Amino acid sequence: MTALAHVPTSTGQPAGPPPPPRHDRHRLLPYLLLLPGAAWLLLFFAVPLFQLAAASLYDPTGSLSTGYALTWAFGNYPDVLQAYWPQFARSFGYAGIALLLALLMGYPLAYAIAQKAGRWKNLLLVCVVAPMFTSFLVRTLAWKTILSDNGWLVGLLRDVHLLGPDGRLLATPVAVVLGLTYNFLPFLVLPLYASLERLDYRLLEAASDLYASPVQIFRKVTLPLSMPGLIAGTLLFFIPATGDYINAELLGTPNEYMIGNVIDSAFLVRLDYPQGAALSFLLMAAILAVVFGYLRRAGTEEVL
Amino acid sequence: MKFSRWLADHWVMGVALLVLGYLSLPILVVAALSFNRPSSRLSYDFNEFTLDNWRQPCATSDMCDAVLRSVQIGFIATVVATVLGTLMAFALVRHRFTGRSGINLLIFLPMATPELVMGTSLLALFVSAGVPQGFWTVVIAHVMFCVSFVVVTVKARLAGMDRRLEEAAADLYASPWQTFRLVTLPLVLPGIVAAALLAFSLSFDDFIITNFNAGTTVTFPMYVWGAAQRGIPPQVNVIGTAMFVIALLLVGLTSLRGRRSRRAGLPVAPAAGRRAKSPT
């Protein structure tokens, strides 16, 4: 019976090696590969979001020891908003100002590395990510030393009368915004760099040959072409900056507390879960609203 | 007017160097403070040079326990997240299946969600399910937020790989397993190693999610957070500096290896060049 299989090859042609076997891909294989990771993400990322939503609608008079009842208490939302709107406003205000500062610093930096650095490019990139090599909290605490009342920076600012004789930097909104800018700047610079690195220098030369001024070149050529990186970088900066409360805690005072500080104490100190959950959900909704509003504007409108 | 031309050409680089200075300043301060003998527990100012902190990094034993715990958690979370994420990356790059957009969304969302929301929602889940919080709930949380970053990193490497190499192996009668072990895996390995290093650094440095799910377990960032109220022992800066130096050495080693294999004419997958640098 096996001889039959060889009949076609034995008709005249030299008998070469048999064709390599074909391996049919198992149809279930991709699902098997995905299953453990997807299950983990579903169970520990997606399901908890529903649990958080449920917790935000618990009866606010319950407590952790007596147990909470799900009473669909939508009133929790206006209640927390009324009590904590200053911290909410501060979160978005500080993150917004920090974002502006980061754009002013990050764009020239990304541009210089991408277009001007030549063979120093890789070294400068390492310098950009270098802060992330050490611990977030330790490097934030370093700002306490830099901005300290006895430090050289405050001394200098006092000498040139930018600060009064008792003026401080630490424990002020300035310190918190500086810390936010510093901690999340690399997230803005890296995507921006990736976009600007692909920028064809000849386009800039062409614009300049056609008598465009440097400002016009930037507005009409460089900026539009760097939009994808700019959008990605802005989001990567803004989302963690809004939710951050480490800078406000370490560099500020309760007067600078952001919404994260309130959520932290609601869950871990006051053990008021409905309130903490409602605040968390509001934060996520607010961030999503800002992000989608921004994406729509950036996506549909001509920039400048 | 020569100076104004020079300025026009070079101001961008000047600003860039200033910004790099702003980014590097805290690292220099951490390194300096690791040699400091503070005047009091609550003082953050530089007082007096000493080598004691480096000689006895574990003088406050709580801190070294916390570092050890962070390493343990980071190690377990990295292994699990790297395996899960690599499998998912293979499925996404190498297979066609229905439900791809749903899976992509599931991978993307954890990277776009504020840590605060992930941390509190996991806390809500663990509390309502009656799971006691501690070492293992932190591991679960860390695996969760590391998986997405592993998928993205390994995917970039896989997508940039030359499929013809595997076809050549199959043509030369390698079984699927042999092809995978002898061709695919060695080519993807740099991506997997990069993903694992990223996962470890994310896990080791995480504070917000950990803080909500650790119970009484203390990791290194949580130790620093707690100590910030009571006064920071200067050894914290020794750990900060040591972390920085180790990470820098790792980056230096990998870039040296990459340069050497390129010089020797060995194939470097295209993903190793531009793509690996773009943030993911």
Side-chain angles (χ1 to χ4, degrees):
Chain A
M1 290 297 279
T2 47
L4 273 175
H6 291 288
V7 169
T9 52
S10 60
T11 55
Q13 288 161 346
R22 289 183 144 222
H23 304 294
D24 284 285
R25 285 248 151 78
H26 203 289
R27 295 197 75 182
L28 279 177
L29 187 59
Y31 296 103
L32 286 176
L33 292 174
L34 288 170
L35 184 70
W40 200 288
L41 287 179
L42 273 178
L43 196 57
F44 299 117
F45 172 75
V47 172
L49 288 180
F50 289 99
Q51 189 58 49
L52 186 71
S56 75
L57 300 172
Y58 283 162
D59 177 9
T61 56
S63 75
L64 204 54
S65 45
T66 58
Y68 282 110
L70 179 56
T71 55
W72 302 96
F74 284 99
N76 288 342
Y77 283 89
D79 286 353
V80 294
L81 209 51
Q82 202 175 12
Y84 296 110
W85 68 265
Q87 284 85 350
F88 251 110
R90 228 175 267 143
S91 288
F92 284 88
Y94 288 174
I97 299 171
L99 176 62
L100 279 182
L101 282 175
L103 283 171
L104 286 177
M105 293 194 245
Y107 206 105
L109 178 59
Y111 185 86
I113 299 177
Q115 296 285 337
K116 307 250 175 197
R119 57 202 207 86
W120 301 104
K121 197 182 267 184
N122 284 340
L123 185 70
L124 294 187
L125 271 180
V126 170
C127 290
V128 171
V129 291
M132 299 202 258
F133 291 170
T134 190
S135 160
F136 188 106
L137 283 132
V138 175
R139 63 182 196 249
T140 306
L141 282 172
W143 280 102
K144 262 188 131 133
T145 304
I146 300 169
L147 303 174
S148 151
D149 294 341
N150 314 316
W152 56 270
L153 187 60
V154 169
L156 183 76
L157 291 176
R158 280 178 186 166
D159 286 346
V160 298
H161 297 288
L162 275 171
L163 275 179
D166 302 320
R168 306 189 65 187
L169 285 176
L170 201 61
T172 64
V174 176
V176 179
V177 170
L178 271 181
L180 287 173
T181 312
Y182 163 76
N183 271 315
F184 302 109
L185 188 57
F187 297 112
L188 179 86
V189 172
L190 290 177
L192 204 49
Y193 160 79
S195 262
L196 285 168
E197 204 229 353
R198 266 176 255 135
L199 185 72
D200 190 342
Y201 199 70
R202 287 170 299 180
L203 291 174
L204 306 183
E205 284 175 346
S208 142
D209 287 347
L210 295 165
Y211 299 100
S213 70
V215 176
Q216 280 176 316
I217 297 177
F218 178 73
R219 272 181 45 188
K220 302 276 182 188
V221 184
T222 316
L223 190 59
L225 284 174
S226 65
M227 263 333 249
L230 195 61
I231 292 172
T234 317
L235 293 182
L236 282 178
F237 182 96
F238 189 75
I239 295 173
T242 317
D244 180 80
Y245 59 97
I246 298 170
N247 288 284
E249 172 79 31
L250 297 182
L251 304 176
T253 66
N255 291 326
E256 282 83 36
Y257 272 5
M258 295 163 68
I259 199 61
N261 303 86
V262 180
I263 296 176
D264 180 80
S265 88
F267 274 109
L268 299 176
V269 181
R270 290 180 278 125
L271 299 179
D272 188 341
Y273 280 36
Q275 191 185 66
L279 285 169
S280 275
F281 236 74
L282 275 177
L283 172 72
M284 189 165 74
I287 288 181
L288 282 180
V290 170
V291 166
F292 278 106
Y294 168 72
L295 280 181
R296 265 183 70 177
R297 265 187 75 92
T300 53
E301 278 179 36
E302 194 72 41
V303 185
L304 294 177
Chain B
M1 280 293 101
K2 257 187 183 163
F3 178 70
S4 68
R5 261 215 77 85
W6 183 88
L7 195 69
D9 282 347
H10 294 281
W11 72 269
V12 179
M13 206 52 183
V15 173
L17 291 177
L18 281 178
V19 176
L20 279 180
Y22 170 68
L23 281 174
S24 318
L25 186 59
I27 303 169
L28 300 177
V29 170
V30 170
L33 287 178
S34 74
F35 295 103
N36 180 32
R37 181 180 290 132
S39 53
S40 78
R41 247 182 112 72
L42 280 165
S43 161
Y44 289 91
D45 299 322
F46 196 87
N47 182 42
E48 192 182 12
F49 181 86
T50 175
L51 286 172
D52 290 354
N53 308 325
W54 282 90
R55 272 199 215 107
Q56 293 164 315
C58 287
T60 38
S61 62
D62 298 3
M63 188 192 74
C64 281
D65 292 346
V67 172
L68 188 65
R69 200 154 305 118
S70 275
V71 172
Q72 290 166 340
I73 290 171
F75 186 76
I76 302 172
T78 299
V79 171
V80 178
T82 306
V83 171
L84 297 186
T86 304
L87 293 179
M88 289 182 100
F90 266 93
L92 283 166
V93 176
R94 291 301 172 79
H95 296 274
R96 297 161 159 275
F97 58 91
T98 47
R100 172 183 294 268
S101 55
I103 292 288
N104 274 328
L105 190 69
L106 192 63
I107 291 165
F108 169 75
L109 274 180
M111 293 189 288
T113 309
E115 280 192 81
L116 203 57
V117 175
M118 290 195 278
T120 53
S121 60
L122 256 182
L123 169 70
L125 178 81
F126 288 138
V127 167
S128 76
V131 179
Q133 298 198 302
F135 187 91
W136 291 104
T137 50
V138 176
V139 171
I140 286 173
H142 284 200
V143 172
M144 182 269 291
F145 70 74
C146 287
V147 163
S148 302
F149 290 94
V150 173
V151 174
V152 175
T153 312
V154 177
K155 236 175 89 178
R157 179 84 191 183
L158 260 179
M161 227 178 85
D162 193 343
R163 286 299 290 275
R164 286 171 302 181
L165 293 169
E166 287 164 300
E167 284 161 18
D171 287 346
L172 295 166
Y173 300 97
S175 71
W177 171 242
Q178 284 173 317
T179 310
F180 178 78
R181 199 168 54 90
L182 299 172
V183 179
T184 317
L185 197 59
L187 283 173
V188 192
L189 203 60
I192 298 178
V193 170
L197 288 175
L198 180 64
F200 185 84
S201 68
L202 286 172
S203 162
F204 191 87
D205 202 23
D206 179 76
F207 172 72
I208 295 184
I209 294 178
T210 312
N211 190 33
F212 285 108
N213 291 290
T216 53
T217 303
V218 179
T219 62
F220 177 64
M222 288 188 62
Y223 173 82
V224 177
W225 178 261
Q229 266 102 45
R230 305 187 304 268
I232 297 277
Q235 283 86 356
V236 161
N237 295 303
V238 173
I239 303 291
T241 312
M243 276 169 72
F244 178 77
V245 171
I246 292 171
L248 204 62
L249 283 177
L250 276 175
V251 168
L253 275 179
T254 35
S255 81
L256 261 182
R257 267 196 63 178
R259 199 173 297 169
R260 196 176 307 147
S261 56
R262 230 168 298 154
R263 204 176 292 154
L266 294 173
V268 177
R274 295 161 81 107
R275 213 183 282 250
K277 258 177 263 145
S278 73
T280 40

